Amino acid sequence: MPLPLTATAAAASDAPPPEPPAKGVRSPVAASRAGLAATCAALLLILLVSVVVAIGLGSAVVTPGDTARLLWAALSGGSIDADEVTTYQIIWQIRTPRVLLAALVGAGLSAVGVAIQALVRNALADPFVLGVSSGASVGAVGVTVTGGLAALGVYAVSAGAFIGALVASLLVYVASAGRGGGLSPLRLVLTGVAMALGFQAVLSVIIYFAPDTEATSMILYWTMGGFGAASWGALPVVAACVLLGLAVLHRYSRALDVLALGDETATSLGISPDRHRKGLLLLASLVTGTMVAVSGAISFVGLVMPHLVRMVVGATHARVLAVAPPAGAVFMVWVDLLSRTLVAPRELPLGVITALVGVPVFIALMRHKGYMFGGR
């Protein structure tokens, strides 16, 4: 016969405490944390090696040793030989900001993809499902064709893309908010998809009426992505936005875990789904708009990378958000390297390569019997 509630509680209180792990044996939690730390350290090491190799490869090949030496000379203010000036300019002024920008964008897209999939509880969501990318592309192309924001000089196109992203986010928010101001995942996804299609229609109209081939080339660049316009001037803003976004997402990793379980569960655990969803929508829009402003629209990274990481470390967002950014950074560095070397001296759009890689990987994920989207 089962014990009464009081007797059960007394028995539990009289039970001996669980024995600590034997000396020299780590607890499962400590072992899990150690494994996560080792995974992150390995990815960061791979990222460092990838950056040095990618900076050295191109039309003018520089060995990793010479690349590291020239980078150290640039960072420490050291001297170089007179016959290395041209190589130094290529390494430091052209390739380094491009490779670093690729790493930042890859990390940002992967992290924002993790957040948005939890935000809308949809395994098919990515940073561009809310129409932010399409809005940014319209803003950038509109500035290019009309010559607007000319007072900002070389930053006019990036500013136009950022403004377009913010406008798209505002439209999605206003259109998807319910009467009480709440944001349901289904309304967000449907409104974002509709807005993205609307912005794509606007882009098609701009392409049709583009005054010259240069404007058309710029439009194609923004719709398929690329780091050809990377410069040291663009790095600080992108780095600040991406790193700040990563820090905020890590802080709200527990809330993302709860949001992924549903609004009723989140409310019962003391988390306001609408408040967190609004804040995360704003954060995702700001980070995505900043990245699209310097790289154009790059597909599949924010969709596929979160799922690949979940297969390795599980679905807990604190773990996924620790591994996804360096993994996405490594992936994007190598994608950018392929884009500028496969058909050199021409460059392939980044979106072409990410789609060629992402589509088969995504299909393989769907056919993987041991993995369910969003968990194991």
Side-chain angles (χ1 to χ4, degrees):
M1 185 176 68
L3 293 172
L5 181 60
T6 54
T8 303
S13 63
D14 293 336
E19 295 184 3
K23 187 176 181 180
V25 178
R26 289 181 299 180
S27 67
V29 174
S32 176
R33 290 177 178 174
L36 180 63
T39 301
C40 293
L43 282 172
L44 291 176
L45 179 60
I46 294 172
L47 176 59
L48 178 61
V49 174
S50 301
V51 166
V52 174
V53 172
I55 290 174
L57 294 180
S59 56
V61 178
V62 184
T63 64
D66 289 339
T67 301
R69 180 173 55 82
L70 292 174
L71 289 174
W72 178 250
L75 294 172
S76 63
S79 60
I80 60 173
D81 297 334
D83 58 349
E84 294 181 318
V85 172
T86 301
T87 304
Y88 174 83
Q89 295 282 350
I90 294 174
I91 292 295
W92 183 249
Q93 297 294 339
I94 299 176
R95 293 184 185 171
T96 300
R98 174 172 183 149
V99 173
L100 293 180
L101 187 63
L104 286 170
V105 171
L109 289 176
S110 300
V112 174
V114 172
I116 290 183
Q117 287 173 5
L119 173 69
V120 299
R121 300 204 308 272
N122 192 317
L124 298 178
D126 68 356
F128 304 137
V129 73
L130 301 181
V132 178
S133 173
S134 299
S137 298
V138 169
V141 171
V143 168
T144 302
V145 173
T146 63
L149 303 179
L152 298 178
V154 295
Y155 300 105
V157 176
S158 297
F162 187 72
I163 293 173
L166 292 182
V167 171
S169 302
L170 179 62
L171 290 175
V172 170
Y173 173 79
V174 172
S176 60
R179 292 184 178 180
L183 294 175
S184 73
L186 180 59
R187 283 201 301 267
L188 274 174
V189 171
L190 294 179
T191 304
V193 170
M195 289 293 179
L197 292 174
F199 284 123
Q200 289 294 330
V202 174
L203 275 177
S204 299
V205 172
I206 296 176
I207 292 175
Y208 184 80
F209 289 103
D212 51 44
T213 56
E214 181 179 355
T216 303
S217 299
M218 178 60 72
I219 293 171
L220 293 176
Y221 167 81
W222 281 103
T223 55
M224 292 187 288
F227 298 112
S231 65
W232 282 110
L235 274 177
V237 175
V238 179
C241 289
V242 171
L243 295 178
L244 180 61
L246 292 179
V248 174
L249 289 177
H250 274 288
R251 182 179 178 183
Y252 286 94
S253 58
R254 174 59 180 164
L256 290 173
D257 287 335
V258 178
L259 285 176
L261 299 176
D263 289 3
E264 293 183 359
T265 302
T267 303
S268 66
L269 293 175
I271 291 179
S272 172
D274 288 337
R275 181 170 60 85
H276 283 81
R277 200 166 280 129
K278 291 174 184 177
L280 290 170
L281 174 61
L282 177 61
L283 176 65
S285 301
L286 290 174
V287 177
T288 303
T290 303
M291 292 185 294
V292 173
V294 295
S295 67
I298 303 174
S299 60
F300 276 98
V301 180
L303 172 62
V304 175
M305 290 305 299
H307 293 304
L308 291 177
V309 172
R310 288 191 189 100
M311 292 185 67
V312 177
V313 301
T316 304
H317 283 88
R319 300 173 64 86
V320 176
L321 286 171
V323 176
V330 172
F331 175 72
M332 188 56 67
V333 166
W334 285 101
V335 166
D336 178 59
L337 178 61
L338 290 176
S339 75
R340 56 187 172 87
T341 56
L342 280 180
V343 293
R346 302 183 65 182
E347 288 189 15
L348 284 175
L350 292 177
V352 173
I353 299 178
T354 55
L356 290 176
V357 174
V359 169
V361 169
F362 194 75
I363 293 175
L365 282 174
M366 288 192 297
R367 297 178 62 85
H368 196 284
K369 295 181 180 180
Y371 178 77
M372 294 294 292
F373 285 100
R376 289 184 181 278

